[in-house]
CSV table of all heavy atoms in Angstrom, one decimal:
chain,number,residue,atom,x,y,z
A,1,ILE,N,-15.2,11.8,-15.6
A,1,ILE,CA,-16.1,10.8,-15.0
A,1,ILE,C,-15.7,9.4,-15.4
A,1,ILE,O,-15.7,8.5,-14.6
A,1,ILE,CB,-17.6,11.1,-15.3
A,1,ILE,CG1,-18.0,12.4,-14.6
A,1,ILE,CG2,-18.5,10.0,-14.9
A,1,ILE,CD1,-19.4,12.8,-14.9
A,2,LYS,N,-15.3,9.2,-16.7
A,2,LYS,CA,-15.0,7.9,-17.2
A,2,LYS,C,-13.6,7.5,-16.8
A,2,LYS,O,-13.1,6.4,-17.1
A,2,LYS,CB,-15.1,7.9,-18.7
A,2,LYS,CG,-16.5,8.0,-19.2
A,2,LYS,CD,-16.6,7.8,-20.7
A,2,LYS,CE,-18.0,7.8,-21.2
A,2,LYS,NZ,-18.1,7.6,-22.6
A,3,GLY,N,-12.8,8.4,-16.1
A,3,GLY,CA,-11.5,8.0,-15.7
A,3,GLY,C,-10.5,8.1,-16.8
A,3,GLY,O,-9.6,7.3,-16.9
A,4,GLY,N,-10.6,9.1,-17.6
A,4,GLY,CA,-9.8,9.3,-18.8
A,4,GLY,C,-8.4,9.8,-18.4
A,4,GLY,O,-7.9,9.5,-17.3
A,5,SER,N,-7.8,10.5,-19.3
A,5,SER,CA,-6.4,10.9,-19.1
A,5,SER,C,-6.2,12.0,-18.1
A,5,SER,O,-5.1,12.4,-17.9
A,5,SER,CB,-5.8,11.2,-20.4
A,5,SER,OG,-6.4,12.4,-20.9
A,6,ASN,N,-7.3,12.5,-17.5
A,6,ASN,CA,-7.2,13.6,-16.5
A,6,ASN,C,-6.8,13.2,-15.1
A,6,ASN,O,-6.8,13.9,-14.2
A,6,ASN,CB,-8.5,14.4,-16.5
A,6,ASN,CG,-8.7,15.2,-17.8
A,6,ASN,OD1,-7.8,15.3,-18.6
A,6,ASN,ND2,-9.9,15.6,-18.0
A,7,THR,N,-6.6,11.9,-14.9
A,7,THR,CA,-6.3,11.3,-13.6
A,7,THR,C,-4.9,11.7,-13.3
A,7,THR,O,-4.0,11.5,-14.1
A,7,THR,CB,-6.4,9.8,-13.6
A,7,THR,OG1,-7.7,9.5,-14.1
A,7,THR,CG2,-6.3,9.3,-12.2
A,8,ALA,N,-4.7,12.2,-12.1
A,8,ALA,CA,-3.3,12.7,-11.6
A,8,ALA,C,-2.5,11.5,-11.5
A,8,ALA,O,-2.9,10.4,-11.1
A,8,ALA,CB,-3.4,13.4,-10.3
A,9,PRO,N,-1.1,11.6,-11.7
A,9,PRO,CA,-0.2,10.5,-11.6
A,9,PRO,C,-0.2,10.1,-10.1
A,9,PRO,O,-0.1,10.9,-9.2
A,9,PRO,CB,1.1,11.1,-12.0
A,9,PRO,CG,0.9,12.4,-12.5
A,9,PRO,CD,-0.5,12.8,-12.2
A,10,GLY,N,-0.3,8.8,-9.9
A,10,GLY,CA,-0.2,8.3,-8.5
A,10,GLY,C,-1.6,8.2,-7.9
A,10,GLY,O,-1.8,7.6,-6.8
A,11,ALA,N,-2.6,8.9,-8.5
A,11,ALA,CA,-4.0,8.8,-7.9
A,11,ALA,C,-4.7,7.6,-8.3
A,11,ALA,O,-4.4,7.0,-9.4
A,11,ALA,CB,-4.7,10.1,-8.3
A,12,PHE,N,-5.6,7.1,-7.5
A,12,PHE,CA,-6.4,5.9,-7.9
A,12,PHE,C,-7.6,6.4,-8.7
A,12,PHE,O,-8.3,7.2,-8.4
A,12,PHE,CB,-6.9,5.2,-6.6
A,12,PHE,CG,-5.9,4.7,-5.8
A,12,PHE,CD1,-5.6,5.2,-4.5
A,12,PHE,CD2,-5.1,3.6,-6.2
A,12,PHE,CE1,-4.7,4.7,-3.7
A,12,PHE,CE2,-4.1,3.1,-5.4
A,12,PHE,CZ,-3.9,3.6,-4.2
A,13,PRO,N,-7.8,5.7,-9.9
A,13,PRO,CA,-9.0,6.0,-10.7
A,13,PRO,C,-10.2,5.5,-9.8
A,13,PRO,O,-10.0,4.7,-8.9
A,13,PRO,CB,-8.8,5.1,-11.9
A,13,PRO,CG,-7.4,4.8,-12.0
A,13,PRO,CD,-6.9,4.9,-10.6
A,14,HIS,N,-11.4,5.9,-10.2
A,14,HIS,CA,-12.6,5.6,-9.4
A,14,HIS,C,-12.7,4.1,-9.3
A,14,HIS,O,-12.8,3.3,-10.3
A,14,HIS,CB,-13.8,6.2,-10.1
A,14,HIS,CG,-13.8,7.7,-10.2
A,14,HIS,ND1,-13.9,8.5,-9.1
A,14,HIS,CD2,-13.5,8.5,-11.2
A,14,HIS,CE1,-13.8,9.7,-9.5
A,14,HIS,NE2,-13.6,9.8,-10.8
A,15,GLY,N,-12.9,3.6,-8.0
A,15,GLY,CA,-13.1,2.2,-7.8
A,15,GLY,C,-11.9,1.3,-7.9
A,15,GLY,O,-12.1,0.1,-7.5
A,16,GLU,N,-10.8,1.7,-8.3
A,16,GLU,CA,-9.6,0.8,-8.4
A,16,GLU,C,-8.6,1.1,-7.3
A,16,GLU,O,-8.3,2.2,-7.0
A,16,GLU,CB,-8.9,1.0,-9.7
A,16,GLU,CG,-9.8,0.7,-10.9
A,16,GLU,CD,-9.0,0.9,-12.2
A,16,GLU,OE1,-7.8,0.9,-12.2
A,16,GLU,OE2,-9.7,1.1,-13.3
A,17,ARG,N,-8.1,0.1,-6.7
A,17,ARG,CA,-7.1,0.2,-5.6
A,17,ARG,C,-6.0,-0.8,-5.9
A,17,ARG,O,-6.3,-1.9,-6.4
A,17,ARG,CB,-7.7,-0.2,-4.2
A,17,ARG,CG,-8.9,0.6,-3.8
A,17,ARG,CD,-8.5,1.6,-2.9
A,17,ARG,NE,-9.6,2.5,-2.5
A,17,ARG,CZ,-9.5,3.6,-2.0
A,17,ARG,NH1,-8.4,4.1,-1.8
A,17,ARG,NH2,-10.6,4.3,-1.7
A,18,SER,N,-4.8,-0.4,-5.7
A,18,SER,CA,-3.7,-1.3,-5.9
A,18,SER,C,-3.3,-2.0,-4.6
A,18,SER,O,-3.5,-1.4,-3.5
A,18,SER,CB,-2.5,-0.5,-6.5
A,18,SER,OG,-2.0,0.4,-5.5
A,19,SER,N,-2.8,-3.2,-4.7
A,19,SER,CA,-2.4,-3.9,-3.5
A,19,SER,C,-1.0,-3.5,-3.1
A,19,SER,O,-0.3,-3.0,-4.0
A,19,SER,CB,-2.5,-5.4,-3.8
A,19,SER,OG,-1.6,-5.7,-4.8
A,20,PRO,N,-0.6,-3.7,-1.9
A,20,PRO,CA,0.7,-3.3,-1.5
A,20,PRO,C,1.8,-4.1,-2.2
A,20,PRO,O,1.5,-5.2,-2.6
A,20,PRO,CB,0.8,-3.6,0.0
A,20,PRO,CG,-0.3,-4.5,0.3
A,20,PRO,CD,-1.4,-4.2,-0.8
A,21,PRO,N,3.0,-3.6,-2.4
A,21,PRO,CA,4.0,-4.3,-3.1
A,21,PRO,C,4.4,-5.6,-2.3
A,21,PRO,O,4.3,-5.7,-1.1
A,21,PRO,CB,5.2,-3.4,-3.1
A,21,PRO,CG,5.0,-2.4,-2.0
A,21,PRO,CD,3.5,-2.3,-1.9
A,22,PRO,N,4.8,-6.6,-3.0
A,22,PRO,CA,5.2,-7.9,-2.3
A,22,PRO,C,6.4,-7.7,-1.5
A,22,PRO,O,7.2,-6.8,-1.8
A,22,PRO,CB,5.5,-8.9,-3.5
A,22,PRO,CG,5.8,-8.0,-4.6
A,22,PRO,CD,5.0,-6.7,-4.5
A,23,PRO,N,6.6,-8.5,-0.4
A,23,PRO,CA,7.7,-8.3,0.5
A,23,PRO,C,9.0,-8.7,-0.2
A,23,PRO,O,9.0,-9.5,-1.2
A,23,PRO,CB,7.5,-9.2,1.6
A,23,PRO,CG,6.3,-10.1,1.3
A,23,PRO,CD,5.6,-9.5,0.1
A,24,VAL,N,10.1,-8.1,0.2
A,24,VAL,CA,11.4,-8.3,-0.4
A,24,VAL,C,11.9,-9.7,0.0
A,24,VAL,O,11.7,-10.1,1.1
A,24,VAL,CB,12.4,-7.2,0.1
A,24,VAL,CG1,13.8,-7.5,-0.5
A,24,VAL,CG2,11.9,-5.8,-0.3
A,25,ASN,N,12.5,-10.4,-1.0
A,25,ASN,CA,13.1,-11.7,-0.8
A,25,ASN,C,12.0,-12.8,-0.4
A,25,ASN,O,12.3,-13.8,0.2
A,25,ASN,CB,14.2,-11.8,0.3
A,25,ASN,CG,15.3,-10.9,-0.1
A,25,ASN,OD1,15.6,-10.7,-1.3
A,25,ASN,ND2,16.1,-10.4,0.9
A,26,GLY,N,10.8,-12.5,-0.6
A,26,GLY,CA,9.7,-13.5,-0.4
A,26,GLY,C,9.4,-13.7,1.1
A,26,GLY,O,8.6,-14.6,1.4
A,27,SER,N,10.0,-13.0,2.0
A,27,SER,CA,9.7,-13.2,3.4
A,27,SER,C,8.5,-12.2,3.8
A,27,SER,O,8.3,-11.2,3.3
A,27,SER,CB,10.9,-12.8,4.3
A,27,SER,OG,11.3,-11.5,4.1
A,28,SER,N,7.8,-12.7,4.8
A,28,SER,CA,6.7,-11.9,5.3
A,28,SER,C,7.2,-10.8,6.2
A,28,SER,O,8.2,-11.0,6.9
A,28,SER,CB,5.7,-12.7,6.0
A,28,SER,OG,6.3,-13.3,7.1
A,29,PRO,N,6.6,-9.6,6.2
A,29,PRO,CA,7.1,-8.5,7.1
A,29,PRO,C,6.8,-8.9,8.5
A,29,PRO,O,5.8,-9.5,8.9
A,29,PRO,CB,6.2,-7.3,6.7
A,29,PRO,CG,5.0,-7.9,6.0
A,29,PRO,CD,5.5,-9.2,5.4
A,30,THR,N,7.8,-8.6,9.4
A,30,THR,CA,7.6,-8.9,10.8
A,30,THR,C,7.3,-7.7,11.6
A,30,THR,O,7.8,-6.6,11.3
A,30,THR,CB,9.0,-9.5,11.4
A,30,THR,OG1,10.0,-8.5,11.2
A,30,THR,CG2,9.3,-10.8,10.7
A,31,PRO,N,6.4,-7.8,12.6
A,31,PRO,CA,6.0,-6.6,13.3
A,31,PRO,C,7.1,-6.2,14.2
A,31,PRO,O,7.9,-7.0,14.6
A,31,PRO,CB,4.8,-7.1,14.1
A,31,PRO,CG,4.9,-8.6,14.2
A,31,PRO,CD,5.6,-9.0,12.9
A,32,PRO,N,7.2,-4.9,14.6
A,32,PRO,CA,8.3,-4.5,15.5
A,32,PRO,C,8.1,-5.1,16.9
A,32,PRO,O,7.0,-5.3,17.3
A,32,PRO,CB,8.1,-3.0,15.5
A,32,PRO,CG,6.7,-2.7,15.1
A,32,PRO,CD,6.3,-3.8,14.2
A,33,VAL,N,9.2,-5.4,17.4
A,33,VAL,CA,9.2,-6.0,18.8
A,33,VAL,C,9.1,-4.9,19.8
A,33,VAL,O,9.9,-4.0,19.8
A,33,VAL,CB,10.5,-6.8,19.0
A,33,VAL,CG1,10.6,-7.4,20.4
A,33,VAL,CG2,10.7,-7.9,17.9
A,34,PRO,N,8.1,-5.0,20.7
A,34,PRO,CA,8.0,-3.9,21.7
A,34,PRO,C,9.1,-4.0,22.8
A,34,PRO,O,9.5,-5.1,23.1
A,34,PRO,CB,6.6,-4.2,22.3
A,34,PRO,CG,6.3,-5.6,22.1
A,34,PRO,CD,7.0,-6.0,20.8
A,35,SER,N,9.5,-2.9,23.3
A,35,SER,CA,10.5,-2.9,24.3
A,35,SER,C,9.9,-3.4,25.6
A,35,SER,O,8.7,-3.2,25.9
A,35,SER,CB,11.1,-1.5,24.5
A,35,SER,OG,10.1,-0.6,24.9
A,36,PRO,N,10.7,-4.0,26.5
A,36,PRO,CA,10.1,-4.6,27.7
A,36,PRO,C,9.7,-3.4,28.6
A,36,PRO,O,10.3,-2.3,28.6
A,36,PRO,CB,11.3,-5.3,28.4
A,36,PRO,CG,12.5,-4.8,27.7
A,36,PRO,CD,12.1,-4.3,26.3
A,37,PRO,N,8.6,-3.6,29.4
A,37,PRO,CA,8.2,-2.5,30.3
A,37,PRO,C,9.2,-2.2,31.4
A,37,PRO,O,9.9,-3.0,31.8
A,37,PRO,CB,6.9,-3.1,30.9
A,37,PRO,CG,7.0,-4.5,30.8
A,37,PRO,CD,7.9,-4.8,29.6
A,38,ILE,N,9.3,-0.9,31.7
A,38,ILE,CA,10.2,-0.4,32.7
A,38,ILE,C,9.6,-0.7,34.1
A,38,ILE,O,8.5,-0.4,34.3
A,38,ILE,CB,10.5,1.1,32.5
A,38,ILE,CG1,11.1,1.3,31.1
A,38,ILE,CG2,11.4,1.6,33.6
A,38,ILE,CD1,11.1,2.8,30.8
């Protein structure tokens, strides 16, 4: 319950969330470009 050493590796302890890793080379991620409609 206290979030001791029984937490599985890679699992989030209660109430804690990690933020996503920063983008590579300091650039912001670009969304995929949709293909033109047929």
